[in-house]
Amino acid sequence: MKQAGSAVPSGLSTAMLSRRIEVMAVAVRPYLPFVHAAMFVGFLVLLVAPVVLPASPLTEALGEWARWLIWTLWFPLVFLSVLVTGRSWCGVLCPMGAASEWMNRLGPKRDVPRWLRWEGTPIASFLIITILGQTVGVRDYPSAILEVFGLTLLAALAIGFFYGEGQKKRSWCRHACPIGLLLGVFSRLGAVDLVPKRPRPGGDAYDTRGLCPTMIDLRRKTESRHCVMCARCMSPNKSGGLSLRLRGPGEEVARIAQHHPAMSEVWFLFLGTGVALGGFLWLVLPQYQGLRLAAVTWAIGNGHMWLGEPGPSWLMVVHPEAREVFVWLDFFLITAWMVVVMLALAGVLAVLQALGAWLAGRLGATGDFRGRFVALSYQVAPAAMISLLLGLGIDLFKLVPAEAAFPVKTAALTAAVAWGVALGWRILRDMGLGGWRAAAALAPGLASGLVVAAAWWPAVV
Ligand code: SF4
Ligand code: SF4
């Protein structure tokens, strides 16, 4: 089906494939509650058993399994899956989203409060979870996995229980989930979208009364970030609802002005990439150890001996059995390091994109400065995505033979930067710029892709 402002693949085979996928998704839909229930049980066992069962080879193996499943398989693969199937993890498999929705059926279904609807809420939740994950060692210890994912699950249950008018809503997934935010931004790069068969003009809107669990006004949907691919709005044999559309990867970003761009997403791209970078660099850079030594000397010299004491194990790594114990100084230093790196990277990216937006305006691009800044900033998305994958999903690359890992990572980063430039070119073309003018306005965008790639270079080598 043809939609204003979108390049729809016209080949018969594409249309047939889309329809087949639709029919399959609708056929699978009734079984999803069983899938969710099984996932929920498996998730709880992996989370809780290694911590609460008495120590034994079995619990140790379970803990190792939990670690491997989450960091080697789940995180990198779910992250990559958005490019192919959108947020299908959320709608089809995620036990937390499903549990949040179950709670919504039981709860008072209050209006979603303003603080929760604030677009900064999932960004704050992402930053808090990422920093806490680092200080408690979520990649290494089953107790930390239980704490971080358990807290997230409890928050999903509580928000699902209290908030969300109508039936079967997922306020948590729409407004607060840190993973949902991450997947949502990058799903814009993905090759599938659901589009209204009978679109209504006016742009995206919030609808608490419809059947969409994430409160999308279905007939006005133009963006993919909030869609969890639950298939409830699909009816292949009816003229209403949404239909599946296959599209070129990056198409939504290339025409972002027609797909409800958001300043909050841009800040998440900048800050999220920065905080993840900070969390990676303190582990690998010798400069961090130098800084720590200087801080220890300062603390001793000034009589702040309490900074050398271990803190509570819910806030920082305290695992003497593994010979790893953080003291208060570690906690403050890691947190400060992550925040400083985050602000530094976000600042550089914001300045470069602002320069690109200003330059584009001077060279004749349409729109106001804010609109150009937001639209052009999306060109960082591919580099941000691959660098997050290299840093946070580094365990996946351990499955690749050592001699192949370097070329694979280098090729992925290079392709991501090139993809960002290609997207920037198309975004500028959408603003009416071409030729040397577009090339000039693209230079800061290219620089921002290179900055992200350079910052994550330690993850490559
Ligand atoms: S938004 Fe978060 S909780 Fe909801 S389904 Fe997606 S990952 Fe799960
Ligand atoms: S738009 Fe459709 S598939 Fe997407 S979340 Fe809403 S109801 Fe589910």
Side-chain angles (χ1 to χ4, degrees), residues 6 15 65 139 169 173 183 187 195 224 339 390 432 438 447 450:
S6 65
W65 247 89
R139 299 180 73 88
K169 295 297 182 233
C173 301
L183 300 182
S187 72
V195 294
S224 49
V339 170
L390 290 181
L450 292 174

Side-chain angles (χ1 to χ4, degrees), residues 74 87 89-91 93-98 100 152 156 170 172-174 177-181 183 228:
W74 171 77
R87 286 176 65 181
W89 160 261
C90 292
L93 293 171
C94 180
M96 283 193 290
S100 185
T152 312
R170 292 191 182 201
W172 166 259
C173 301
R174 166 88 194 218
C177 178
I179 308 160
L181 171 68
L183 300 182
V228 295

Side-chain angles (χ1 to χ4, degrees), residues 214-265:
T214 51
M215 282 82 86
I216 297 169
D217 183 337
L218 296 174
R219 289 180 62 186
R220 291 174 58 177
K221 177 178 181 295
T222 66
E223 60 176 344
S224 49
R225 66 175 161 144
H226 298 304
C227 174
V228 295
M229 294 285 168
C230 67
R232 274 175 223 175
C233 55
M234 283 188 200
S235 305
N237 298 321
K238 294 190 180 157
S239 59
L242 269 60
S243 65
L244 189 132
R245 188 175 74 96
L246 297 175
R247 59 185 182 181
E251 191 183 303
E252 182 170 330
V253 169
R255 308 212 63 196
I256 192 69
Q258 283 82 42
H259 296 280
H260 201 220
M263 182 69 93
S264 59
E265 273 190 309

Side-chain angles (χ1 to χ4, degrees), residues 36-383:
H36 292 149
M39 289 292 290
F40 189 75
V41 172
F43 180 62
L44 274 192
V45 169
L46 272 184
L47 233 56
V48 178
V51 180
V52 300
L53 292 181
S56 71
L58 175 68
T59 46
E60 210 169 292
L62 266 176
E64 204 39 50
W65 247 89
R67 215 191 65 75
W68 190 84
L69 276 179
I70 292 175
W71 299 116
T72 308
L73 275 195
W74 171 77
F75 179 78
L77 296 186
V78 165
F79 203 45
L80 282 177
S81 74
V82 294
L83 291 181
V84 185
T85 60
R87 286 176 65 181
S88 55
W89 160 261
C90 292
V92 179
L93 293 171
C94 180
M96 283 193 290
S100 185
E101 191 179 317
W102 297 333
M103 294 303 282
N104 183 248
R105 295 184 200 191
L106 306 174
K109 302 179 181 61
R110 291 187 192 145
D111 290 2
V112 179
R114 194 180 291 184
W115 65 265
L116 190 54
R117 283 185 66 166
W118 179 53
E119 296 247 326
T121 301
I123 301 179
S125 122
F126 181 87
L127 298 183
I128 291 168
I129 285 290
T130 308
I131 293 175
L132 180 69
Q134 281 294 314
T135 61
V136 297
V138 73
R139 299 180 73 88
D140 298 319
Y141 300 105
S143 57
I145 292 179
L146 175 61
E147 179 184 339
V148 170
F149 285 88
L151 275 178
T152 312
L153 175 62
L154 286 179
L157 295 177
I159 287 183
F161 180 79
F162 286 110
Y163 304 117
E165 311 104 277
Q167 285 298 317
K168 305 183 191 171
K169 295 297 182 233
R170 292 191 182 201
S171 314
W172 166 259
C173 301
R174 166 88 194 218
H175 296 295
C177 178
I179 308 160
L181 171 68
L182 190 75
L183 300 182
V185 172
F186 296 116
S187 72
R188 286 187 183 273
L189 291 168
V192 293
D193 190 18
L194 297 183
V195 294
K197 292 178 191 166
R198 286 188 289 175
R200 229 178 29 201
D204 291 78
Y206 193 74
D207 176 19
T208 55
R209 289 157 302 155
L211 59 71
C212 178
T214 51
M215 282 82 86
I216 297 169
D217 183 337
L218 296 174
R219 289 180 62 186
R220 291 174 58 177
K221 177 178 181 295
T222 66
E223 60 176 344
S224 49
R225 66 175 161 144
H226 298 304
C227 174
V228 295
M229 294 285 168
C230 67
R232 274 175 223 175
C233 55
M234 283 188 200
S235 305
N237 298 321
K238 294 190 180 157
S239 59
L242 269 60
S243 65
L244 189 132
R245 188 175 74 96
L246 297 175
R247 59 185 182 181
E251 191 183 303
E252 182 170 330
V253 169
R255 308 212 63 196
I256 192 69
Q258 283 82 42
H259 296 280
H260 201 220
M263 182 69 93
S264 59
E265 273 190 309
V266 167
W267 282 112
F268 171 68
L269 270 177
F270 295 171
L271 295 170
T273 311
V275 80
L277 177 71
F280 177 74
L281 288 183
W282 80 266
L283 289 163
V284 297
L285 284 191
Q287 286 83 347
Y288 176 80
Q289 294 309 327
L291 186 68
R292 185 177 186 276
L293 197 62
V296 169
T297 311
W298 172 85
I300 294 172
N302 288 277
H304 300 301
M305 305 310 283
W306 64 276
L307 285 170
E309 299 288 327
S313 59
W314 56 267
L315 200 56
M316 61 191 84
V317 172
V318 183
H319 289 279
E321 76 291 351
R323 297 170 184 225
E324 193 177 20
V325 175
F326 286 179
V327 295
W328 280 106
L329 187 123
D330 293 310
F331 172 76
F332 289 127
L333 213 53
I334 292 169
T335 306
W337 173 278
M338 288 177 74
V339 170
V340 168
V341 172
M342 172 183 82
L343 293 177
L345 186 69
V348 171
L349 293 178
V351 167
L352 285 170
Q353 295 304 337
L355 184 62
W358 173 80
L359 208 52
R362 299 285 295 180
L363 293 168
T366 56
D368 59 10
F369 173 79
R370 189 181 192 278
R372 290 194 302 272
F373 172 79
V374 171
L376 282 170
S377 295
Y378 279 90
Q379 65 188 304
V380 177

